[in-house]
């Protein structure tokens, strides 16, 4: 991770401080298995420098942005860079305080607390990824207020006081900008430094595609980048919704092409069919048609 960031040109003084942080905030050996080994690298130097700086200043981070802007990839990359065990904590309808902090269970006739992910993360100096935090319901929100408090002590009725390890950080993610997303309440937002996740740049998308598909023909690499940008522009101009502007879908589609589907079949599955509106699907197909010939097969796509 460190080498990757040096290569990308991230400020070396920041990276030196990260190393220093690793030395002062050691973790216990039993937790090293939780340090992620990311499959994807996050690309975007401004975001990297903002995120690293905030974490070094003991801030918690809120990553806000449309789907597939690399929020979870960045959170995972950060835990890997800082060499911290990571806990993923998601906020679905059934998430309550007990499942986050812990529940009493019987063991050999005694009541013991089975620690939940927040508890473990807090005492072990972990990075807790609070995924889709805006979907949290009120009960969990009250708990989150306590966790993210500057006093770094979780004091919740029914539990012992939990003192946060100095190395513990929380990184929340939140989708924003399309129907069905919820706002986050002000008091909770105020406990974070917020990064608005930008759409990946053409240059960085090129790097990402090259790393993921080393044999991709350079001509088609350009076309896939162009296609994604065309879709972004159409969506910004409100000609189409954001449904088909899906980097995750584009990457998956290219994987399907590697396995032998034609480009059109794969792009229909990865992009076009994400919209359920026939008129919009036609617009997306038009964009694809301008860049990708009919019946394009893998022999042509991969060199
Ligand atoms: N800036 C970026 N750098 C690297 N990968 C990115 C970037 N933006 C999007 N991606 C890719 O998009 C996909 C979805 O990323 P993910 O982190 O799950 O998105 P999110 O959590 O924002 O919905 C991944 O394959 C990831 O590699
Ligand atoms: Mg996500």
């Amino acid at each position: 991770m460190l080498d990757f960031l040096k290569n990308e040109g991230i400020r070396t003084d920041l990276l030196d401080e990260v190393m220093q942080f690793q030395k002062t905030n050691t973790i216990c050996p039993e937790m090293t298995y939780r340090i992620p080994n990311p499959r994807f690298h996050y690309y975007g130097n401004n975001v990297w420098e903002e995120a690293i700086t905030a974490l070094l200043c003991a801030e918690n981070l809120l990553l806000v942005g449309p789907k597939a802007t690399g929020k979870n990839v960045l959170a995972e990359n950060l835990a890997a860079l800082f060499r911290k065990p990571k806990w993923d904590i998601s906020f679905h309808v059934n998430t309550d305080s007990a499942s986050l902090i812990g529940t009493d269970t019987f063991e050999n006739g005694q009541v013991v607390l089975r620690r939940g992910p927040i508890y473990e993360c807090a005492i072990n100096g972990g990075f807790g990824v609070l995924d889709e935090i805006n979907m949290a319901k009120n009960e969990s929100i009250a708990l989150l207020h306590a966790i993210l408090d500057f006093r770094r002590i979780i004091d919740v009725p029914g539990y012992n006081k939990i003192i946060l390890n100095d190395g513990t950080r929380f990184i929340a993610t939140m989708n924003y900008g399309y129907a069905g997303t919820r706002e986050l309440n002000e008091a909770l937002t105020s406990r974070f430094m917020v990064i608005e996740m930008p759409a990946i740049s053409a240059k960085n998308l090129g790097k990402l595609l090259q790393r993921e598909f080393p044999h991709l023909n350079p001509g088609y690499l350009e076309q896939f980048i162009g296609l994604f940008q065309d879709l972004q522009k159409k969506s910004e101009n409100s000609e189409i919704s954001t449904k088909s502007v899906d980097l995750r879908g584009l990457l998956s589609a290219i994987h399907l092409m590697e396995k032998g589907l034609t480009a059109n079949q794969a792009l229909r599955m990865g992009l076009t069919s994400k919209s359920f509106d026939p008129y919009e699907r036609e617009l997306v197909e038009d964009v694809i048609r301008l860049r990708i010939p009919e019946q394009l097969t893998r022999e042509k796509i991969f060199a």
Side-chain angles (χ1 to χ4, degrees):
M1 205 79 223
L2 214 50
D3 289 335
F4 163 72
L5 292 178
K6 278 185 190 150
N7 253 326
E8 288 291 297
I10 301 294
R11 270 171 40 212
T12 47
D13 60 316
L14 274 184
L15 297 177
D16 290 344
E17 282 200 49
V18 171
M19 306 267 271
Q20 202 52 49
F21 181 95
Q22 286 174 12
K23 281 193 201 117
T24 33
N25 296 279
T26 50
I27 57 166
C28 67
E30 301 90 83
M31 287 296 151
T32 49
Y33 80 99
R34 281 191 167 271
I35 301 174
N37 186 8
R39 186 168 115 61
F40 294 107
H41 285 160
Y42 179 81
Y43 295 95
N45 283 10
N46 283 342
V47 169
W48 264 116
E49 293 186 351
E50 290 166 7
I52 293 170
T53 307
L55 293 173
L56 286 171
C57 290
E59 299 287 350
N60 298 305
L61 276 179
L62 173 62
L63 310 178
V64 187
K67 65 168 188 286
T69 43
K71 298 183 289 296
N72 288 88
V73 168
L74 176 63
E76 187 185 40
N77 278 203
L78 284 165
L81 172 67
F82 282 80
R83 301 207 52 75
K84 290 287 163 189
K86 175 172 77 89
W87 276 265
D88 280 305
I89 301 148
S90 63
F91 291 90
H92 45 78
V93 278
N94 295 320
T95 309
D96 57 12
S97 310
S99 63
L100 294 169
I101 301 193
T103 44
D104 285 334
T105 52
F106 272 105
E107 233 170 65
N108 304 325
Q110 281 188 322
V111 183
V112 291
L113 178 71
R114 188 195 292 148
R115 293 172 185 166
I118 293 265
Y119 197 130
E120 291 286 358
C121 182
I123 61 169
N124 285 302
F127 277 21
V129 179
L130 309 172
D131 206 20
E132 314 228 354
I133 193 174
N134 51 320
M135 303 311 277
K137 52 178 193 173
N138 291 339
E139 185 187 341
S140 329
I141 287 176
L143 174 68
L144 286 170
H145 280 244
I147 294 162
L148 301 166
D149 195 279
F150 68 97
R151 284 166 294 192
R152 299 182 69 82
I153 294 171
I154 310 178
D155 195 1
V156 184
Y159 296 91
N160 289 331
K161 272 192 195 174
I162 305 168
I163 300 169
L164 261 64
N165 181 298
D166 283 341
T168 301
R169 301 285 185 275
F170 290 96
I171 304 174
T173 78
M174 161 173 175
N175 278 325
Y176 197 77
Y178 52 87
T181 52
R182 274 207 261 166
E183 288 259 358
L184 194 61
N185 89 51
E186 232 177 282
L188 195 50
T189 311
S190 129
R191 286 163 158 79
F192 291 99
M193 292 303 277
V194 184
I195 297 182
E196 270 189 77
M197 299 291 281
I200 191 166
S201 69
K203 188 168 159 231
N204 283 339
L205 180 53
K207 286 188 200 169
L208 178 115
L209 289 176
Q210 240 162 7
R211 182 168 191 269
E212 186 71 3
F213 306 100
H215 301 297
L216 195 58
N217 166 314
Y220 285 114
L221 180 124
E222 289 305 317
Q223 292 306 328
F224 289 133
I225 297 171
L227 170 62
F228 191 65
Q229 287 187 304
D230 292 350
L231 290 172
Q232 270 175 333
K233 265 182 226 135
K234 280 232 181 295
S235 161
E236 278 161 24
N237 296 337
S238 305
E239 291 171 58
I240 58 170
S241 73
T242 54
K243 291 191 184 109
S244 297
V245 189
D246 187 353
L247 182 53
R248 206 180 270 122
L250 177 63
L251 297 175
S252 303
I254 303 175
H255 277 294
L256 267 48
M257 296 174 205
E258 259 185 331
K259 275 265 185 287
L261 287 190
T262 65
N264 275 310
Q265 285 177 300
L267 291 171
R268 199 178 319 124
M269 293 168 74
L271 299 176
T272 321
S273 301
K274 301 268 160 97
S275 163
F276 302 116
D277 173 55
Y279 176 68
E280 182 172 271
R281 277 205 298 261
E282 260 178 55
L283 292 178
V284 174
E285 270 169 19
D286 289 345
V287 176
I288 295 175
R289 201 172 299 121
L290 287 175
R291 293 195 173 266
I292 311 288
E294 290 286 332
Q295 299 302 323
L296 178 66
T297 55
R298 74 173 150 197
E299 289 69 32
K300 298 230 170 70
I301 304 168
F302 299 96

